[in-house]
Structures are given as C-alpha cells and as structure tokens.
Amino acid sequence: MATFKDLLSQTKKQIKELTTDELAQRLAGAAKPVLVDVREPDEVEAGILPGALAIPRGFLELRIEDKVPDRAASIVLYCAGGNRSAFAAKSLAELGYTRVESLAGGYNRWHDQGRPTEKPLSLSAEQKERYRRHLVIPEVGEAGQQKLLNGKVLLMGAGGLGSPAALYLAAAGVGTLGMVDMDVVDLSNLQRQVLHGQEWLGKPKTESAVARLRSLNPDVKVIPFQERLTSENVERIVSQFDLVVDGGDNFPTRYLLNDACVLLDKPCVHGSIFRFDGQVTTFIPRVGPCYRCLYPQPPPPDMAPSCAEAGVLGVLPGVIGTLQAVEALKLLLGKGTTLAGRLLTYEALNTRFAELKLRRDPKCPVCADGVPFPGFIDYEQFCRVAA
Ligand SMILES: [Zn+2]
C-alpha cells in the first residue's frame, strides 16, 4: 500500500511545478496565468496573491469549469506549501486542462519572500445574508458589494432629497455616508423628509440621520457635519468622499459645491424639485458639463423660490432623491451609464419623463480645459449680484 509520501512524490512527477521566481516573471509579463488559491476560507482570510481566484480544494472540480471555462488557459494553482495544489493540478489535468502548474512552496514561500499579497474580498456570514439580493446580480456580486462597503458618499442636505438618498444608500451598504446639514427637524419637514420622525422635532437633522441610518444598517458609518458649507470648509469636507449627492436647496451652496467638485475631481449627482417637477443629472468633471456650464449665472432671487415659498408635492423628492441614489450606486460600482451629459426631467402632474442633452461650455470659468481653477468666490454675493 502506498503511503502519503509515496503518493505525493508520484503526483509531483506527473504534474508541472513552477518556482516563485518563475511565477513572478510570468505575472509581470503580458500573458498572465489564471491564479487559483485552493486553500480553505480561513487560510485565505490573511491574504492571497493579487488577483487570485479563491476556490477551496474540496470545491475545485465542482467550480473550475464555471470560473475558467477555457481548458487551454494557463492556470497556476497554489496552496499553503505546495502539496494540496500538486494533487489539485493532477485532478485538473484529468478534467482536460492542458496548461496547469502548481506553485512550489505555495503561499507561505511567496509571502516569506516579501512578494506582493492582498487582502481577499470577503463578506461576513451576516453581510452575505443582508446583501443576498445584491450578490446574485452579476453587475454587483461580492466584488461590487465590497466596492459599496468601501464607498464614501457625501450627502449635501438631510432634507427632502437627502432623506431617500441616504436611506437607500445605507440600506445598500455604502460604507461611509457624510451628511451636511445645519438645520433642526421642523414639523413642516415631515411631509417629505422621511429620514426624520416626530420624536426628533427641534433636534438637529444630522443627529436624527445618524440614529436612523445606524438602526437601518450597522455596516454604515455616518459622519455628521452640522455646519454650513463654506469656502473655508468645503475642501476639507468634500475631499474625504468619492462623490457627492447634492440635495441642497440654495444657489450659493450649489455653486460652491460645484466648484469644489471640479477642483477635487469628484462626481456630483444633482437633483432639484419644484412643486410637481423634478430634475436630476450627474456632473462628472471634464467628462460632462458642470453646473456652471448649464447655469453660468444664478437666477435672480425672486425667480428662484425655495420649497418653503413655492411648495412641493411630498413624494416628489422621494422620486428624485431615489434616482440620485441609483446614480451614486452605479458610480461606486463602475457599472452602467450615468446621467453625465443628460438632464432627466420628471413632470409628476402628467407623469412624463423627458431627457435633455447637456453640453460642456468650452468657456466655462471652472471646468474648461486648460483653465486653472479660479479659486472660491463669495457665493452669497455672487447670487445676489446676479439679481
Ligand atoms: Zn463647467
């Protein structure tokens, strides 16, 4: 009867092994092999080779055809020390894979030599359950969910637009949400600002938002900014995030935020509402227009009434803020087509969606090519002077 040692040495004669040096050279070249880590999930947690697929040895034959359908693909298998991957290589050869090799010395030798490794994408059992409906979508999956968990979105305003956007982004597992709002919850807010409840009347909206979002999803870190956005703090705040969802309701802040996003190269998902009408677009600096390309000058104050003056159907910000959340998720995932260069309008009274093409202004004072950033201005003054 053959011992384990006999079986191993016999197997190693039947397969091809490669050294860590050879693998490093191969990975630096143009035709990179497919790396497959056959260790158990608890071993993989500490680190894997960059870009490796983790398929535990016990599932290898079951899953390899799904993950690597091409039988002629160059595959390098590795385990901790090079024995399990040797047996695995033999098994793949029997399945008809023609270019399979096993890494001699395995992960441990690679790691001990100080070669690059990375933390694997891994969700906890609870996260796998919570995001199950995301994990089954090919455009999201575990890698996408990990991107969302690493994502940082700044919400400008915890009001009508910010409420649905924050709730859905938190539910989706966007890991960090910043909220800029200096107001307290007022009874007249509750007709549409679904983030807040009766018990928060008179208290800061940011505090109400932190409590609500934390109870919705403990994966989410909420950073409150109970302050007015100004030329002095805007860079410090916006620079901490990947993108901005603008649910602000005044023009000075909108221009300030636009200029900061162009300066810091951050996408800004813009929404606005008026009675039964809403609109949404996504500004991606230098890819599409910015807010100033569309509106070089602010409207005179009497032409731009606020929600308080003009009124708004309670559910309308729900529709627009939710569309903004969808844009933000696509930007974080890097999937689909955003509203960059398109303005989507929604007319609730007659149920009509329409789309307008938006173009960059080659003479835009902040985002035109080759134009240095002009610096922040006095936005209050700018919006009054235009009147
Ligand atoms: Zn512009």
Side-chain angles (χ1 to χ4, degrees), residues 144-161:
Q145 189 62 52
Q146 201 71 44
K147 283 185 191 169
L148 297 182
L149 286 164
N150 290 333
K152 297 181 177 129
V153 174
L154 180 67
L155 292 131
M156 186 57 226
L161 296 168

Side-chain angles (χ1 to χ4, degrees), residues 52-255:
L53 296 169
I55 312 177
R57 174 68 191 91
F59 291 96
L60 187 64
E61 293 85 348
L62 220 61
R63 295 186 184 160
I64 191 72
E65 290 172 306
D66 247 7
K67 301 276 189 185
V68 191
D70 179 9
R71 293 284 205 281
S74 164
I75 300 175
V76 174
L77 301 170
Y78 71 87
C79 60
N83 293 347
R84 280 174 287 171
S85 59
F87 290 115
K90 191 181 167 203
S91 191
L92 288 196
E94 285 164 3
L95 269 176
Y97 286 87
T98 54
R99 296 169 64 207
V100 183
E101 289 159 288
S102 165
L103 179 64
Y107 177 85
N108 293 345
R109 185 175 298 165
W110 179 272
H111 180 260
D112 291 347
Q113 291 170 341
R115 299 182 193 269
T117 59
E118 65 184 20
K119 285 273 180 194
L121 302 172
S122 71
L123 301 177
S124 69
E126 194 183 320
Q127 287 174 324
K128 281 184 181 161
E129 188 57 27
R130 177 182 287 270
Y131 306 118
R132 188 147 32 138
R133 303 296 188 279
H134 271 167
L135 302 185
V136 295
I137 305 177
E139 287 79 1
V140 186
E142 271 205 49
Q145 189 62 52
Q146 201 71 44
K147 283 185 191 169
L148 297 182
L149 286 164
N150 290 333
K152 297 181 177 129
V153 174
L154 180 67
L155 292 131
M156 186 57 226
L161 296 168
S163 283
L167 286 167
Y168 275 109
L169 292 176
V174 174
T176 305
L177 294 177
M179 301 215 75
V180 184
D181 204 308
M182 61 178 300
D183 288 342
V184 296
V185 180
D186 182 83
L187 186 56
S188 66
N189 297 152
L190 301 186
Q191 166 249 22
R192 64 199 177 284
Q193 301 183 11
V194 293
L195 196 49
H196 314 295
Q198 183 82 10
E199 67 276 25
W200 287 93
L201 288 175
K203 294 177 191 153
K205 286 184 182 178
T206 46
E207 283 179 29
S208 158
V210 168
R212 176 74 183 96
L213 298 173
R214 194 170 284 159
S215 85
L216 179 62
N217 187 350
D219 284 344
V220 181
K221 182 174 151 201
V222 185
I223 307 176
F225 298 96
Q226 203 201 337
E227 52 194 309
R228 176 186 288 280
L229 205 64
T230 66
S231 301
E232 284 70 44
N233 64 17
V234 70
E235 273 187 81
R236 166 176 62 83
I237 294 174
V238 173
S239 64
Q240 301 171 42
F241 296 88
D242 300 321
L243 64 104
V244 177
V245 169
D246 181 10
D249 62 355
N250 69 81
F251 285 92
T253 307
R254 200 166 279 165
Y255 281 97

